[in-house]
């Protein structure tokens, strides 16, 4: 009976840790997308203005040795459409991955940015 209780607690804590890792990955994805949202059209189209690679940690503001390290990429490409306004649209994809135990986990978020979008109201 003790082994069953121990296995239940162990499984519960593992699930809780995985949920926390997924939540942190979602926070990182959202942070990168919000950064893109604040860029104007010329900044989005300037190569190198938005860093294509990044590294973040489970506990923000700490060294990578303090916990899980998230590595990611930001890709800004021509939107995969054929409409006449395709030159005024970019697809932004943010990808993040991390090592959880012996398993590589990954998440991805994608959105579109328009030349005449929200950033025109900010600047």
């Amino acid at each position: 009976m003790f082994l069953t209780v121990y296995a239940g607690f162990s499984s519960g804590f593992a699930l809780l840790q995985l949920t926390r890792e997924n939540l942190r990955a979602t926070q990182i994805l959202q942070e990168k997308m919000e950064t893109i949202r604040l860029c104007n059209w010329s900044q989005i189209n300037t190569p190198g203005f938005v860093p294509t690679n990044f590294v973040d940690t489970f506990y923000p503001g700490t060294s990578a040795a303090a916990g899980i390290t998230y590595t990611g990429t930001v890709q800004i490409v021509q939107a995969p459409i054929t409409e006449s306004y395709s030159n005024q649209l970019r697809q932004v994809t943010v990808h993040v991955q991390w090592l959880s135990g012996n398993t590589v986990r990954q998440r991805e978020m994608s959105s579109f940015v328009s030349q005449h979008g929200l950033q025109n109201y900010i600047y």
Side-chain angles (χ1 to χ4, degrees):
M1 189 164 131
F2 176 73
L3 289 175
T4 303
V5 171
Y6 179 75
F9 276 121
S10 177
S11 176
F13 285 126
L15 182 62
L16 181 63
Q17 178 62 27
L18 180 59
T19 302
R20 291 177 68 207
E21 291 173 9
N22 282 329
L23 179 60
R24 178 66 182 131
T26 303
Q27 289 173 340
I28 293 169
L29 291 170
Q30 185 176 359
E31 174 189 344
K32 298 302 177 185
M33 281 296 188
E34 289 295 318
T35 302
I36 295 293
R37 185 179 66 85
L38 294 174
C39 295
N40 62 36
W41 185 249
S42 64
Q43 292 169 333
I44 288 174
N45 288 302
T46 302
F49 184 82
V50 177
T52 56
N53 297 312
F54 62 89
V55 176
D56 212 334
T57 58
F58 186 78
Y59 299 106
T62 61
S63 67
I68 298 169
T69 302
Y70 294 85
T71 57
T73 59
V74 177
Q75 184 181 27
I76 301 173
V77 296
Q78 188 79 22
I81 60 172
T82 57
E83 282 75 5
S84 61
Y85 55 86
S86 64
N87 288 337
Q88 300 169 358
L89 197 63
R90 299 290 179 265
Q91 182 177 13
V92 178
T93 304
V94 181
H95 179 85
V96 67
Q97 69 180 27
W98 68 99
L99 186 62
S100 176
N102 293 327
T103 306
V104 176
R105 307 224 182 253
Q106 54 189 354
R107 298 289 177 266
E108 187 173 272
M109 187 179 286
S110 186
S111 184
F112 292 102
V113 177
S114 171
Q115 181 178 2
H116 305 291
L118 183 64
Q119 72 274 9
N120 292 330
Y121 297 103
I122 295 171
Y123 293 104

